Amino acid sequence: MKTINVKRTASKGVVMGKAYVVKRPDLSADRTVIAESAVEAETARYEAAIEAAKADLAVLAEQNEIFGAHLELVQDPTLYDGVLEKIKDERKNAELALEETVDMFAAIFADMDDEYMRERGADMKDVGKRLMCKLKGVEDSALSGINEKVIVVAEDLAPSDTAVMNLEYVLGFITQEGGVTSHVSIMARNLNLPALVGVEGIMSEVAMNDQIAMDAKSGTIIINPDEAAVAEYTEKMEAFWKREKELAEISLLPAETPDGKTVELFANVGNIEDIKNALPHHIDGIGLFRTEFLYMENDHFPTEEEQFTVYKEAAELLEGKEVIIRTLDIGGDKALSYFDFGQEENPFLGYRAIRVCLDREDVFKTQLRALLRAGAYGNIRIMYPMIISVEELDHANELLEACKKELKAEGKTFNENIVVGMMIETPASVACAEDFASRVGFFSIGTNDLTQYTLAVDRGNKKISNMYNSFHPAVLRNIKRTIDAGHAAGIKVGMCGEFASDPKALKVLLGFGLDEFSMSAGAVSEVKAELRSTPYAQAKEIADKVAKCAYVREIDALLEA
């Protein structure tokens, strides 16, 4: 018996079963340099691979929107041109040209600070794997042989794996690579299957048909458990499913404390598929729709009609509930293949988010027009990111008013009274919160960036990652000041950063008076259960004490108690 403890829970749950270890075909490219006379033949081979992959994906796209995005990637001119350039100019064979190009794009995503964004590199790798199989004339059938109840153990799992996997037989997932926002994690949460990701060395620890007991909530894996461990995990499974039943019942209830304080529990999403997956969790609305994916998954700035279609569908899916759509938040660690941001020494303090939009008014107005028009079909609210001055806010709103005049002159239907808010994610926006609060309809606190900028700590820097702490007194005081400023002006204050779903933070945020908590949809039931068992009076008392603490350890002690 061997026990492994891991930190990266993708989807909670307790399960026992036989291991199904996924062995992949060798898809590595050889390093052969081709002759000039072979360039045409290698190009033709790559183009044939593209056509074959497109045919597969066109069928799969009818089953799942993820494959629609993959179909677009396969046809992406940037990928196509990158591979052809290596074949023609560098005399690389088609496999090697593809491997190097895909690795380059995947590395761009991997360097991004946002974990959700980093995991989008998995899409590029999956498309690359599909194309490589076509070039090599092999099929990746490693997952097609599942015909009994198993726990799938793999180096990584991609969206395309779900097309050949019989999910009726899958009890859970363990992967060596991947993060909590990867497709396997999302899939596991949607299917309510336990999953642990980023389990270093698991492929060398587990053999086919080994017995596995796993607790994905605590992050524990037991390989070939003894009788005592089997008995313990049997009890754990019973307790887990009992709790799941309770949470399912709680999810139907209002987000209300025992003494009558109500808040709103919203979901963070990146696309329409995310919204569809969030709705069964009985959310009160969408607190953050990240529109950057519309731009990043394109080979051009999306047109007004392309954006309008997406925003309209989002509004209609929510049936009158709020949908807060953040305007283009690009730059920093989020690049576009078709737009040059220029070289920057510190892109997180550079040309990004609202700064790009106010500089490229044509791009910004296209999005604003689409949002205004979609606003006629539901309760859409516009949210500006990275605002640090009233001048920026005024400029953005002037462009919004110009868009309204244009649409009116064109006779197009739109929401003339659309509510506009902004993110609070810098010390500057906190310091001027009172000025902003009198000029916007709501605030949404982005704790990821607010923590990073308040503490001057790069959260991606492993040497100082221990200093990145949203429970730091400075961060908590900035949150409290923002909420107080918003309430003094009579506007709602929400939070869309990861801190909003932290159970330990709930009492503090509730006590500070936060009106709306926005999070991953899968976390809503747990947060609601915690909320419904936490008296507001008690939370307020704790929050008042926390606001006076000078040490992080004091805050930790208060919350632990």
Short mmCIF file of all heavy atoms in Angstrom, two decimals, residues 347-396:
data_model
loop_
_atom_site.label_atom_id
_atom_site.label_comp_id
_atom_site.label_asym_id
_atom_site.label_seq_id
_atom_site.Cartn_x
_atom_site.Cartn_y
_atom_site.Cartn_z
N PRO A 347 4.86 44.07 -18.81
CA PRO A 347 3.55 44.18 -19.47
C PRO A 347 2.38 44.29 -18.49
O PRO A 347 1.33 44.81 -18.85
CB PRO A 347 3.46 42.89 -20.29
CG PRO A 347 4.46 41.96 -19.69
CD PRO A 347 5.56 42.83 -19.17
N PHE A 348 2.54 43.82 -17.25
CA PHE A 348 1.45 43.93 -16.28
C PHE A 348 1.22 45.37 -15.85
O PHE A 348 0.16 45.71 -15.33
CB PHE A 348 1.71 43.05 -15.06
CG PHE A 348 1.52 41.59 -15.35
CD1 PHE A 348 2.59 40.77 -15.59
CD2 PHE A 348 0.24 41.06 -15.44
CE1 PHE A 348 2.41 39.44 -15.89
CE2 PHE A 348 0.05 39.72 -15.73
CZ PHE A 348 1.14 38.91 -15.97
N LEU A 349 2.23 46.22 -16.05
CA LEU A 349 2.08 47.64 -15.76
C LEU A 349 2.06 48.44 -17.05
O LEU A 349 2.31 49.64 -17.06
CB LEU A 349 3.25 48.12 -14.88
CG LEU A 349 3.43 47.42 -13.54
CD1 LEU A 349 4.62 48.02 -12.78
CD2 LEU A 349 2.17 47.54 -12.68
N GLY A 350 1.75 47.74 -18.15
CA GLY A 350 1.88 48.38 -19.44
C GLY A 350 0.61 48.56 -20.23
O GLY A 350 -0.45 48.92 -19.70
N TYR A 351 0.72 48.28 -21.52
CA TYR A 351 -0.33 48.53 -22.51
C TYR A 351 -1.32 47.37 -22.45
O TYR A 351 -1.14 46.34 -23.09
CB TYR A 351 0.33 48.62 -23.88
CG TYR A 351 -0.55 49.04 -25.02
CD1 TYR A 351 -1.24 50.24 -25.00
CD2 TYR A 351 -0.64 48.24 -26.16
CE1 TYR A 351 -2.02 50.64 -26.08
CE2 TYR A 351 -1.41 48.62 -27.25
CZ TYR A 351 -2.10 49.82 -27.20
OH TYR A 351 -2.86 50.21 -28.27
N ARG A 352 -2.40 47.54 -21.68
CA ARG A 352 -3.33 46.44 -21.47
C ARG A 352 -4.74 46.95 -21.14
O ARG A 352 -4.91 48.12 -20.80
CB ARG A 352 -2.83 45.51 -20.36
CG ARG A 352 -2.61 46.19 -19.03
CD ARG A 352 -2.31 45.20 -17.92
NE ARG A 352 -3.43 44.28 -17.68
CZ ARG A 352 -3.63 43.61 -16.55
NH1 ARG A 352 -2.77 43.72 -15.56
NH2 ARG A 352 -4.66 42.82 -16.40
N ALA A 353 -5.70 46.04 -21.26
CA ALA A 353 -7.08 46.25 -20.83
C ALA A 353 -7.67 47.57 -21.38
O ALA A 353 -7.63 47.82 -22.58
CB ALA A 353 -7.16 46.18 -19.31
N ILE A 354 -8.20 48.41 -20.48
CA ILE A 354 -8.88 49.63 -20.93
C ILE A 354 -7.93 50.56 -21.67
O ILE A 354 -8.35 51.35 -22.54
CB ILE A 354 -9.53 50.37 -19.72
CG1 ILE A 354 -10.62 51.35 -20.20
CG2 ILE A 354 -8.48 51.06 -18.88
CD1 ILE A 354 -11.83 50.68 -20.79
N ARG A 355 -6.63 50.46 -21.40
CA ARG A 355 -5.65 51.32 -22.06
C ARG A 355 -5.59 51.01 -23.56
O ARG A 355 -5.49 51.92 -24.39
CB ARG A 355 -4.28 51.12 -21.42
CG ARG A 355 -4.27 51.51 -19.94
CD ARG A 355 -3.04 51.03 -19.20
NE ARG A 355 -3.16 51.32 -17.76
CZ ARG A 355 -2.24 51.03 -16.87
NH1 ARG A 355 -1.11 50.42 -17.23
NH2 ARG A 355 -2.43 51.34 -15.59
N VAL A 356 -5.65 49.72 -23.90
CA VAL A 356 -5.68 49.32 -25.31
C VAL A 356 -6.98 49.80 -25.95
O VAL A 356 -6.99 50.35 -27.05
CB VAL A 356 -5.55 47.79 -25.45
CG1 VAL A 356 -5.70 47.37 -26.91
CG2 VAL A 356 -4.23 47.29 -24.88
N CYS A 357 -8.09 49.60 -25.23
CA CYS A 357 -9.41 49.96 -25.77
C CYS A 357 -9.54 51.46 -26.04
O CYS A 357 -10.10 51.87 -27.06
CB CYS A 357 -10.51 49.52 -24.81
SG CYS A 357 -10.67 47.72 -24.70
N LEU A 358 -9.03 52.28 -25.13
CA LEU A 358 -9.13 53.73 -25.32
C LEU A 358 -8.17 54.21 -26.40
O LEU A 358 -8.39 55.27 -27.00
CB LEU A 358 -8.87 54.45 -24.00
CG LEU A 358 -9.88 54.17 -22.88
CD1 LEU A 358 -9.53 54.96 -21.63
CD2 LEU A 358 -11.31 54.49 -23.33
N ASP A 359 -7.12 53.44 -26.64
CA ASP A 359 -6.18 53.77 -27.71
C ASP A 359 -6.73 53.33 -29.06
O ASP A 359 -6.60 54.03 -30.05
CB ASP A 359 -4.84 53.10 -27.44
CG ASP A 359 -3.79 53.44 -28.47
OD1 ASP A 359 -3.61 54.64 -28.76
OD2 ASP A 359 -3.13 52.51 -28.99
N ARG A 360 -7.35 52.14 -29.08
CA ARG A 360 -7.95 51.61 -30.31
C ARG A 360 -9.46 51.78 -30.23
O ARG A 360 -10.21 50.84 -29.99
CB ARG A 360 -7.58 50.14 -30.48
CG ARG A 360 -6.13 49.91 -30.88
CD ARG A 360 -5.83 50.46 -32.29
NE ARG A 360 -6.76 49.92 -33.29
CZ ARG A 360 -6.53 48.82 -34.00
NH1 ARG A 360 -5.41 48.13 -33.81
NH2 ARG A 360 -7.40 48.40 -34.89
N GLU A 361 -9.92 53.01 -30.41
CA GLU A 361 -11.34 53.32 -30.25
C GLU A 361 -12.22 52.53 -31.22
O GLU A 361 -13.35 52.18 -30.89
CB GLU A 361 -11.58 54.82 -30.45
CG GLU A 361 -10.97 55.68 -29.34
CD GLU A 361 -11.33 57.16 -29.49
OE1 GLU A 361 -12.09 57.50 -30.45
OE2 GLU A 361 -10.87 57.97 -28.67
N ASP A 362 -11.68 52.21 -32.40
CA ASP A 362 -12.46 51.45 -33.37
C ASP A 362 -12.79 50.06 -32.84
O ASP A 362 -13.92 49.58 -32.96
CB ASP A 362 -11.70 51.35 -34.70
CG ASP A 362 -10.31 50.73 -34.54
OD1 ASP A 362 -9.69 50.90 -33.45
OD2 ASP A 362 -9.84 50.07 -35.48
N VAL A 363 -11.81 49.42 -32.23
CA VAL A 363 -12.00 48.08 -31.66
C VAL A 363 -12.98 48.15 -30.49
O VAL A 363 -13.89 47.32 -30.35
CB VAL A 363 -10.65 47.49 -31.20
CG1 VAL A 363 -10.86 46.18 -30.44
CG2 VAL A 363 -9.74 47.28 -32.40
N PHE A 364 -12.79 49.15 -29.63
CA PHE A 364 -13.62 49.30 -28.43
C PHE A 364 -15.08 49.60 -28.81
O PHE A 364 -16.01 49.01 -28.26
CB PHE A 364 -13.05 50.42 -27.57
CG PHE A 364 -13.61 50.47 -26.17
CD1 PHE A 364 -13.98 49.33 -25.49
CD2 PHE A 364 -13.73 51.69 -25.51
CE1 PHE A 364 -14.48 49.39 -24.19
CE2 PHE A 364 -14.23 51.76 -24.21
CZ PHE A 364 -14.62 50.60 -23.55
N LYS A 365 -15.27 50.49 -29.75
CA LYS A 365 -16.63 50.87 -30.14
C LYS A 365 -17.38 49.69 -30.78
O LYS A 365 -18.59 49.54 -30.60
CB LYS A 365 -16.61 52.07 -31.09
CG LYS A 365 -16.29 53.39 -30.37
CD LYS A 365 -16.25 54.55 -31.34
CE LYS A 365 -17.63 54.90 -31.85
NZ LYS A 365 -17.62 56.09 -32.75
N THR A 366 -16.65 48.85 -31.49
CA THR A 366 -17.28 47.65 -32.06
C THR A 366 -17.85 46.78 -30.95
O THR A 366 -18.99 46.29 -31.05
CB THR A 366 -16.25 46.83 -32.87
OG1 THR A 366 -15.79 47.62 -33.96
CG2 THR A 366 -16.85 45.54 -33.40
N GLN A 367 -17.09 46.62 -29.87
CA GLN A 367 -17.58 45.81 -28.75
C GLN A 367 -18.72 46.52 -28.02
O GLN A 367 -19.73 45.88 -27.68
CB GLN A 367 -16.45 45.52 -27.76
CG GLN A 367 -16.90 44.65 -26.59
CD GLN A 367 -15.77 44.19 -25.70
OE1 GLN A 367 -14.84 44.96 -25.43
NE2 GLN A 367 -15.85 42.95 -25.26
N LEU A 368 -18.60 47.80 -27.79
CA LEU A 368 -19.65 48.54 -27.09
C LEU A 368 -20.97 48.51 -27.85
O LEU A 368 -22.04 48.34 -27.27
CB LEU A 368 -19.21 49.98 -26.84
CG LEU A 368 -18.04 50.19 -25.86
CD1 LEU A 368 -17.66 51.66 -25.79
CD2 LEU A 368 -18.39 49.67 -24.47
N ARG A 369 -20.90 48.64 -29.16
CA ARG A 369 -22.11 48.58 -29.98
C ARG A 369 -22.79 47.21 -29.85
O ARG A 369 -24.01 47.12 -29.72
CB ARG A 369 -21.77 48.87 -31.45
CG ARG A 369 -21.53 50.36 -31.76
CD ARG A 369 -21.00 50.52 -33.19
NE ARG A 369 -21.91 49.94 -34.18
CZ ARG A 369 -22.83 50.63 -34.87
NH1 ARG A 369 -22.95 51.95 -34.67
NH2 ARG A 369 -23.60 50.04 -35.75
N ALA A 370 -21.97 46.16 -29.88
CA ALA A 370 -22.52 44.80 -29.76
C ALA A 370 -23.18 44.60 -28.39
O ALA A 370 -24.24 43.99 -28.28
CB ALA A 370 -21.40 43.77 -29.97
N LEU A 371 -22.54 45.13 -27.35
CA LEU A 371 -23.09 45.01 -25.99
C LEU A 371 -24.39 45.79 -25.84
O LEU A 371 -25.35 45.31 -25.23
CB LEU A 371 -22.06 45.50 -24.97
CG LEU A 371 -20.85 44.59 -24.74
CD1 LEU A 371 -19.75 45.32 -23.97
CD2 LEU A 371 -21.27 43.33 -24.00
N LEU A 372 -24.43 46.98 -26.38
CA LEU A 372 -25.65 47.80 -26.31
C LEU A 372 -26.81 47.10 -27.01
O LEU A 372 -27.93 47.05 -26.49
CB LEU A 372 -25.40 49.17 -26.95
CG LEU A 372 -24.57 50.16 -26.11
CD1 LEU A 372 -24.09 51.31 -26.98
CD2 LEU A 372 -25.41 50.68 -24.94
N ARG A 373 -26.54 46.54 -28.17
CA ARG A 373 -27.60 45.86 -28.93
C ARG A 373 -28.06 44.60 -28.21
O ARG A 373 -29.27 44.33 -28.11
CB ARG A 373 -27.09 45.52 -30.33
CG ARG A 373 -26.91 46.73 -31.25
CD ARG A 373 -26.26 46.32 -32.56
NE ARG A 373 -27.05 45.29 -33.22
CZ ARG A 373 -26.55 44.45 -34.14
NH1 ARG A 373 -25.26 44.53 -34.47
NH2 ARG A 373 -27.32 43.54 -34.70
N ALA A 374 -27.11 43.82 -27.69
CA ALA A 374 -27.47 42.59 -26.97
C ALA A 374 -28.22 42.91 -25.69
O ALA A 374 -29.03 42.11 -25.22
CB ALA A 374 -26.21 41.79 -26.66
N GLY A 375 -27.96 44.10 -25.15
CA GLY A 375 -28.62 44.52 -23.91
C GLY A 375 -30.13 44.63 -24.04
O GLY A 375 -30.85 44.64 -23.04
N ALA A 376 -30.62 44.69 -25.26
CA ALA A 376 -32.07 44.76 -25.48
C ALA A 376 -32.74 43.40 -25.28
O ALA A 376 -33.97 43.30 -25.24
CB ALA A 376 -32.35 45.26 -26.90
N TYR A 377 -31.94 42.35 -25.13
CA TYR A 377 -32.47 40.98 -25.02
C TYR A 377 -32.32 40.39 -23.62
O TYR A 377 -32.59 39.20 -23.42
CB TYR A 377 -31.78 40.08 -26.05
CG TYR A 377 -32.07 40.49 -27.47
CD1 TYR A 377 -31.29 41.46 -28.10
CD2 TYR A 377 -33.14 39.95 -28.17
CE1 TYR A 377 -31.55 41.87 -29.39
CE2 TYR A 377 -33.42 40.34 -29.47
CZ TYR A 377 -32.62 41.30 -30.08
OH TYR A 377 -32.90 41.70 -31.37
N GLY A 378 -31.89 41.21 -22.68
CA GLY A 378 -31.73 40.69 -21.32
C GLY A 378 -31.05 41.71 -20.44
O GLY A 378 -30.88 42.88 -20.81
N ASN A 379 -30.64 41.25 -19.26
CA ASN A 379 -30.10 42.17 -18.25
C ASN A 379 -28.57 42.22 -18.30
O ASN A 379 -27.87 41.78 -17.39
CB ASN A 379 -30.57 41.71 -16.86
CG ASN A 379 -30.27 42.72 -15.77
OD1 ASN A 379 -29.78 43.82 -16.04
ND2 ASN A 379 -30.57 42.36 -14.54
N ILE A 380 -28.05 42.74 -19.41
CA ILE A 380 -26.60 42.86 -19.58
C ILE A 380 -26.10 44.13 -18.89
O ILE A 380 -26.72 45.19 -18.97
CB ILE A 380 -26.22 42.89 -21.07
CG1 ILE A 380 -26.29 41.47 -21.65
CG2 ILE A 380 -24.82 43.48 -21.28
CD1 ILE A 380 -25.95 41.39 -23.12
N ARG A 381 -24.97 43.98 -18.18
CA ARG A 381 -24.28 45.13 -17.60
C ARG A 381 -22.85 45.17 -18.15
O ARG A 381 -22.22 44.12 -18.31
CB ARG A 381 -24.25 45.03 -16.07
CG ARG A 381 -25.64 45.11 -15.46
CD ARG A 381 -25.62 45.11 -13.95
NE ARG A 381 -26.92 45.55 -13.43
CZ ARG A 381 -27.09 46.17 -12.28
NH1 ARG A 381 -26.05 46.43 -11.51
NH2 ARG A 381 -28.31 46.54 -11.89
N ILE A 382 -22.35 46.35 -18.42
CA ILE A 382 -21.01 46.52 -18.97
C ILE A 382 -20.04 46.83 -17.84
O ILE A 382 -20.32 47.65 -16.98
CB ILE A 382 -20.97 47.66 -20.01
CG1 ILE A 382 -21.86 47.30 -21.22
CG2 ILE A 382 -19.54 47.95 -20.46
CD1 ILE A 382 -22.01 48.44 -22.22
N MET A 383 -18.88 46.15 -17.86
CA MET A 383 -17.87 46.40 -16.82
C MET A 383 -16.51 46.69 -17.47
O MET A 383 -16.00 45.91 -18.26
CB MET A 383 -17.76 45.17 -15.90
CG MET A 383 -16.71 45.32 -14.81
SD MET A 383 -16.91 44.10 -13.50
CE MET A 383 -16.44 42.58 -14.34
N TYR A 384 -15.93 47.84 -17.09
CA TYR A 384 -14.62 48.23 -17.60
C TYR A 384 -13.52 47.67 -16.69
O TYR A 384 -13.61 47.80 -15.46
CB TYR A 384 -14.48 49.75 -17.63
CG TYR A 384 -15.50 50.50 -18.46
CD1 TYR A 384 -16.09 51.66 -17.96
CD2 TYR A 384 -15.85 50.08 -19.73
CE1 TYR A 384 -17.02 52.38 -18.70
CE2 TYR A 384 -16.78 50.79 -20.49
CZ TYR A 384 -17.36 51.94 -19.97
OH TYR A 384 -18.27 52.65 -20.70
N PRO A 385 -12.46 47.10 -17.25
CA PRO A 385 -11.34 46.62 -16.43
C PRO A 385 -10.21 47.64 -16.33
O PRO A 385 -10.06 48.50 -17.19
CB PRO A 385 -10.86 45.39 -17.22
CG PRO A 385 -11.09 45.78 -18.65
CD PRO A 385 -12.32 46.67 -18.66
N MET A 386 -9.44 47.54 -15.26
CA MET A 386 -8.16 48.26 -15.12
C MET A 386 -8.28 49.78 -15.16
O MET A 386 -7.36 50.48 -15.55
CB MET A 386 -7.20 47.77 -16.22
CG MET A 386 -5.72 48.02 -15.98
SD MET A 386 -5.05 47.05 -14.65
CE MET A 386 -3.37 47.65 -14.61
N ILE A 387 -9.42 50.31 -14.74
CA ILE A 387 -9.59 51.77 -14.68
C ILE A 387 -8.80 52.31 -13.49
O ILE A 387 -8.93 51.80 -12.37
CB ILE A 387 -11.08 52.14 -14.51
CG1 ILE A 387 -11.89 51.74 -15.74
CG2 ILE A 387 -11.24 53.61 -14.20
CD1 ILE A 387 -11.80 52.67 -16.91
N ILE A 388 -7.97 53.34 -13.72
CA ILE A 388 -7.22 53.92 -12.61
C ILE A 388 -7.49 55.41 -12.43
O ILE A 388 -7.01 56.03 -11.49
CB ILE A 388 -5.70 53.71 -12.78
CG1 ILE A 388 -5.18 54.43 -14.04
CG2 ILE A 388 -5.34 52.23 -12.79
CD1 ILE A 388 -3.66 54.55 -14.09
N SER A 389 -8.28 56.01 -13.34
CA SER A 389 -8.54 57.44 -13.21
C SER A 389 -9.94 57.79 -13.70
O SER A 389 -10.51 57.09 -14.54
CB SER A 389 -7.52 58.25 -14.03
OG SER A 389 -7.72 58.04 -15.42
N VAL A 390 -10.48 58.87 -13.17
CA VAL A 390 -11.79 59.35 -13.61
C VAL A 390 -11.74 59.75 -15.08
O VAL A 390 -12.72 59.58 -15.82
CB VAL A 390 -12.26 60.52 -12.72
CG1 VAL A 390 -13.54 61.14 -13.27
CG2 VAL A 390 -12.49 60.05 -11.29
N GLU A 391 -10.59 60.25 -15.53
CA GLU A 391 -10.44 60.63 -16.94
C GLU A 391 -10.68 59.43 -17.86
O GLU A 391 -11.35 59.54 -18.89
CB GLU A 391 -9.04 61.21 -17.20
CG GLU A 391 -8.83 62.62 -16.67
CD GLU A 391 -8.42 62.66 -15.20
OE1 GLU A 391 -8.40 61.57 -14.55
OE2 GLU A 391 -8.12 63.75 -14.69
N GLU A 392 -10.12 58.27 -17.47
CA GLU A 392 -10.32 57.05 -18.27
C GLU A 392 -11.80 56.66 -18.29
O GLU A 392 -12.34 56.29 -19.34
CB GLU A 392 -9.50 55.89 -17.69
CG GLU A 392 -8.01 55.96 -17.97
CD GLU A 392 -7.27 54.81 -17.30
OE1 GLU A 392 -7.69 54.39 -16.20
OE2 GLU A 392 -6.28 54.34 -17.88
N LEU A 393 -12.41 56.71 -17.13
CA LEU A 393 -13.84 56.35 -17.04
C LEU A 393 -14.67 57.29 -17.92
O LEU A 393 -15.56 56.82 -18.65
CB LEU A 393 -14.29 56.42 -15.58
CG LEU A 393 -15.76 56.10 -15.31
CD1 LEU A 393 -16.09 54.67 -15.72
CD2 LEU A 393 -16.09 56.32 -13.83
N ASP A 394 -14.39 58.58 -17.84
CA ASP A 394 -15.13 59.55 -18.65
C ASP A 394 -14.94 59.27 -20.14
O ASP A 394 -15.90 59.33 -20.92
CB ASP A 394 -14.66 60.97 -18.34
CG ASP A 394 -15.15 61.46 -16.98
OD1 ASP A 394 -16.03 60.80 -16.40
OD2 ASP A 394 -14.64 62.49 -16.50
N HIS A 395 -13.70 58.97 -20.53
CA HIS A 395 -13.39 58.70 -21.95
C HIS A 395 -14.18 57.48 -22.44
O HIS A 395 -14.80 57.50 -23.51
CB HIS A 395 -11.89 58.47 -22.11
CG HIS A 395 -11.44 58.34 -23.53
ND1 HIS A 395 -10.11 58.18 -23.88
CD2 HIS A 395 -12.13 58.32 -24.70
CE1 HIS A 395 -10.02 58.08 -25.19
NE2 HIS A 395 -11.22 58.16 -25.71
N ALA A 396 -14.19 56.41 -21.62
CA ALA A 396 -14.91 55.19 -21.98
C ALA A 396 -16.40 55.48 -22.14
O ALA A 396 -17.05 55.03 -23.09
CB ALA A 396 -14.67 54.11 -20.94
#
